[in-house]
Amino acid sequence: MAIPKKELDFNMNDDQMRLKISALERELAKIAEGGGKKRIEKLHENGKLSARERIDLLLDPNTPRFEMGALAAYGMYKEHGGCPAAGVVIVIGYVSGKQCIVVANDATVKAGAWFPMTGKKNLRAQEIAMENRLPIIYLVDSAGVYLPMQDEIFPDKEHFGRIFRNNAVMSSMGIVQISAVMGSCVAGGAYLPIMSDESLIVNKTGTIFLAGSYLVKAAIGETVDNETLGGATTHTEISGVCDYKVDSDEECLQTIRDLMDKIGHSESAGFDRKEAHLPKVDLKTVYGIVPSDRSKPYDTKELLRALVDDSEFTEYKSDYGKSIVCAYARIDGWSVGIVANQREIIKTAKGEMQFGGVIYSDSADKAARFIMNCNQKNIPLVFLQDVTGFMVGSKSEHGGIIKDGAKLVNAMANSVVPKFTIVVGNSYGAGNYAMCGKAYDPRLIVGWPTAEIAVMSGASAAKVLLQIEVASLTAKGEVITPEREKELYDTIKNRYDEQISPYYAASRLWIDAIIDPAKTREVISIGIEAANHKKAEKPYNVGVIQT
């Protein structure tokens, strides 16, 4: 008996997704080794734990966690030997029952030195802390700015110094900051502990100074060892820079847990949560729904049934603007409003066909009003992106697609309820913006292994760029044969395909992580719980909108 085509397609999609997830897990396993096993062993010989070991000891066991930016700097800085995870591990997790952010320098990667992406990743962690009023814990073990690239990390607005500016701002906001000096803490980085609420230092391994012993000797001729200059005894008994002297990494982490245990509870933003229920289908059903061929359609509502509690949702304006699905649902018990691109080819009431993944005027109008309703009801928003852009052509332009698209972007950009973005598949052009891309302040933005983020698809971009290249070469007198044209096309497309990969996006922190699709519910739940620590600071107002 022949297997139905739908089942064959599902199985093929499932296989392809599992292969992508396996490839992702292999890369993350390599990244988790930091600078390598030998350097981790060297830390152990010196009585220190690795960054990830420290985090594991600090966080409550068997509780949800989300690692942000594990793929930061992926494939970058090859001429400098690479920089796994940008040399810093950042996790949203629970310490003594309190949700918080932990930032741990990885001393096995260039002694924890700061590369440009290290700065960007640290600033993203502070942004998350400020947006959600989350306590932030710094586990410091860093040699400071990576000097060969100092011009790309030191002087600009979003560079190294912004960290300390944010320390001051977070303090004024009442956000708890705890610093633990568990290794080197030098130069400008030495301001971090004293700008935190409380600081700890590990005896014999932790040091803090603006300039180390060699630089002091060169600058003023003084001969002094690093321990005397800025060790634990100096900073807890003489300078008063640190508040607690501890004898080991383990004692340091336990002391932090004790401090976090005494923190008072913050106010709630009031997002509604009930008892969580799993979907009625296996979470991994999502593997088979999204086609491995990104040009093929699928029913986004099947995706929702595999993501939301009890596989139940209430669709808003179900018969209007069908290229976007808007629905109320629950995810891990949290009430959410979902805005998702519909990838099926749709027949409208007028008998017209609409392409899947394209935003039309009616769907933009519907989504804008739905976003306004969610803000009115204090319901967090979840965007599921699989979008090729807005509809083009004379009919769409005459129908006011720009006006309706602007309405959607305005409603989304001014949202005061938290937004969370999942890049399921395509994220092209202005569709990325309208569906809450990174530029529009999602509290968390993650991609599935099938995500593609770019102005347009690789094939479309290659055709446009090929025309330009052929015209240029022809103008110079070169004869372009079909073989030469194919060679040019393949070169351009391969280069562009590399740039639309989710790894390319994650390495530059355009997205916070690439995740296993089966963990989507968990990531959204962690994000909403974080957002629930902070009420909106202003009423919802979309300003001027053309109707």
Side-chain angles (χ1 to χ4, degrees):
M1 182 177 175
I3 300 174
K5 185 178 184 302
K6 185 173 182 180
E7 187 176 336
L8 283 172
D9 288 344
F10 183 94
N11 291 339
M12 185 179 72
N13 296 338
D14 184 274
D15 288 344
Q16 290 298 314
M17 182 68 83
R18 289 176 188 273
L19 287 172
K20 285 181 169 64
I21 293 168
S22 294
L24 172 64
E25 290 173 346
R26 286 194 298 272
E27 294 304 320
L28 292 176
K30 291 179 194 173
I31 289 167
E33 293 181 355
K37 293 180 180 178
K38 287 186 178 180
R39 291 181 182 174
I40 294 175
E41 289 170 2
K42 186 69 174 176
L43 287 182
H44 293 167
E45 289 171 9
N46 294 329
K48 297 166 67 175
L49 299 172
S50 71
R52 292 179 185 278
E53 288 169 337
R54 287 167 174 168
I55 290 174
D56 285 341
L57 268 181
L58 179 62
L59 295 181
D60 297 345
N62 303 316
T63 55
R65 64 170 70 179
F66 171 68
E67 181 173 351
M68 189 279 290
L71 287 157
Y74 179 83
M76 300 172 69
Y77 311 128
K78 292 178 182 177
E79 66 276 23
H80 298 278
C83 188
V88 61
V89 184
I90 298 177
V91 174
I92 301 175
Y94 299 83
V95 177
S96 297
K98 310 292 196 311
Q99 194 179 37
C100 60
I101 299 180
V102 182
V103 179
N105 300 114
D106 188 346
T108 70
V109 179
K110 296 291 192 294
W114 285 55
F115 283 68
M117 285 305 302
T118 317
K120 187 172 183 178
K121 186 171 173 178
N122 274 269
L123 289 172
R124 175 62 175 148
Q126 291 184 320
E127 178 183 47
I128 292 170
M130 287 188 281
E131 285 178 332
N132 302 290
R133 291 190 69 89
L134 284 184
I136 188 164
I137 299 168
Y138 305 96
L139 306 181
V140 184
D141 195 344
S142 171
V145 167
Y146 184 62
L147 292 178
M149 302 186 75
Q150 64 85 27
D151 60 320
E152 297 182 47
I153 182 60
F154 171 65
D156 210 345
K157 180 179 178 180
E158 297 297 328
H159 283 177
F160 191 64
R162 190 76 172 182
I163 301 294
F164 315 120
R165 175 264 186 194
N166 287 349
N167 287 143
V169 170
M170 284 191 284
S171 182
S172 72
M173 294 171 66
I175 296 171
V176 172
Q177 300 175 83
I178 298 173
S179 289
V181 181
M182 307 179 80
S184 298
C185 183
V186 301
Y191 288 105
L192 180 67
I194 200 62
M195 296 192 77
S196 298
D197 301 332
E198 293 180 285
S199 60
L200 307 87
I201 186 167
V202 180
N203 196 25
K204 303 303 181 184
T205 57
T207 53
I208 310 173
F209 34 65
L210 295 178
S213 56
Y214 292 120
L215 187 54
V216 168
K217 177 70 174 177
I220 64 174
E222 180 184 2
T223 300
V224 61
D225 63 87
N226 283 339
E227 188 64 29
T228 302
L229 184 65
T233 298
T234 295
H235 285 309
T236 56
E237 297 182 19
I238 300 173
S239 73
V241 166
C242 291
D243 304 304
Y244 306 93
K245 179 171 75 173
V246 292
D247 289 325
S248 66
D249 279 13
E250 291 83 355
E251 183 184 348
C252 180
L253 298 168
Q254 183 56 52
T255 303
I256 295 171
R257 289 184 56 79
D258 292 342
L259 294 172
M260 288 293 295
D261 180 59
K262 310 303 186 297
I263 293 175
H265 292 275
S266 61
E267 62 179 351
S268 166
F271 303 132
D272 187 65
R273 192 180 197 184
K274 292 185 176 178
E275 182 182 352
H277 296 279
L278 288 170
K280 291 177 180 175
V281 297
D282 189 293
L283 292 176
K284 294 183 179 180
T285 300
V286 294
Y287 296 173
I289 295 173
V290 178
S292 54
D293 180 347
R294 299 301 312 117
S295 64
K296 288 186 176 181
Y298 63 92
D299 186 0
T300 298
K301 295 175 189 178
E302 288 186 26
L303 201 62
L304 297 191
R305 293 184 189 100
L307 293 176
V308 304
D309 287 17
D310 283 325
S311 299
E312 294 177 354
F313 55 88
T314 303
E315 189 175 355
Y316 174 77
K317 289 184 181 288
S318 60
D319 296 321
Y320 179 75
K322 293 183 178 182
S323 73
I324 288 183
V325 176
C326 298
Y328 298 107
R330 290 190 182 273
I331 292 178
D332 199 35
W334 293 104
S335 170
V336 296
I338 299 172
V339 181
N341 301 111
Q342 174 57 281
R343 285 304 307 269
E344 277 198 319
I345 297 173
I346 301 155
K347 190 173 184 179
T348 69
K350 296 178 181 179
E352 300 169 340
M353 302 305 292
Q354 292 188 348
F355 297 103
V358 178
I359 301 176
Y360 292 80
S361 285
D362 53 359
S363 50
D365 177 73
K366 176 177 78 171
R369 186 168 180 85
F370 180 75
I371 289 167
M372 295 178 199
N373 283 340
C374 286
N375 275 271
Q376 182 83 349
K377 299 175 181 179
N378 199 31
I379 299 174
L381 286 159
V382 174
F383 292 83
L384 299 179
Q385 285 196 10
D386 197 344
V387 57
T388 53
F390 285 85
M391 190 58 190
V392 296
S394 60
K395 185 174 182 180
S396 292
E397 298 294 357
H398 296 172
I401 186 66
I402 296 175
K403 178 182 65 178
D404 291 318
K407 186 190 304 181
L408 170 56
V409 171
N410 194 327
M412 179 273 303
N414 283 298
S415 177
V416 297
V417 296
K419 305 180 294 258
F420 302 90
T421 302
I422 315 297
V423 185
V424 171
N426 302 332
S427 180
Y428 296 157
N432 170 280
Y433 302 158
M435 294 295 293
C436 197
K438 183 67 180 290
Y440 291 84
D441 302 318
R443 298 292 178 97
L444 292 176
I445 176 170
V446 298
W448 286 6
T450 44
E452 293 184 356
I453 303 173
V455 171
M456 62 183 74
S457 72
S460 297
K463 289 174 184 175
V464 173
L465 294 170
L466 177 65
Q467 292 177 36
I468 297 170
E469 182 72 8
V470 168
S472 175
L473 293 173
T474 302
K476 294 175 182 178
E478 185 173 334
V479 177
I480 306 298
T481 64
E483 292 77 17
R484 174 67 170 141
E485 186 170 315
K486 184 179 185 305
E487 179 186 336
L488 288 169
Y489 175 83
D490 289 342
T491 300
I492 294 169
K493 187 175 185 301
N494 290 339
R495 183 174 69 242
Y496 201 87
D497 282 346
E498 179 185 348
Q499 294 177 359
I500 68 177
S501 158
Y503 289 88
Y504 193 91
S507 72
R508 289 153 180 79
L509 288 179
W510 301 346
I511 55 177
D512 293 318
I514 303 173
I515 65 167
D516 179 342
K519 294 183 179 178
T520 302
R521 285 168 51 84
E522 181 179 312
V523 171
I524 293 171
S525 181
I526 288 171
I528 298 177
E529 183 169 346
N532 201 37
H533 290 94
K534 183 181 179 182
K535 290 183 177 180
E537 295 177 345
K538 63 175 184 177
Y540 185 54
N541 186 347
V542 294
V544 178
I545 288 183
Q546 290 192 26
T547 58

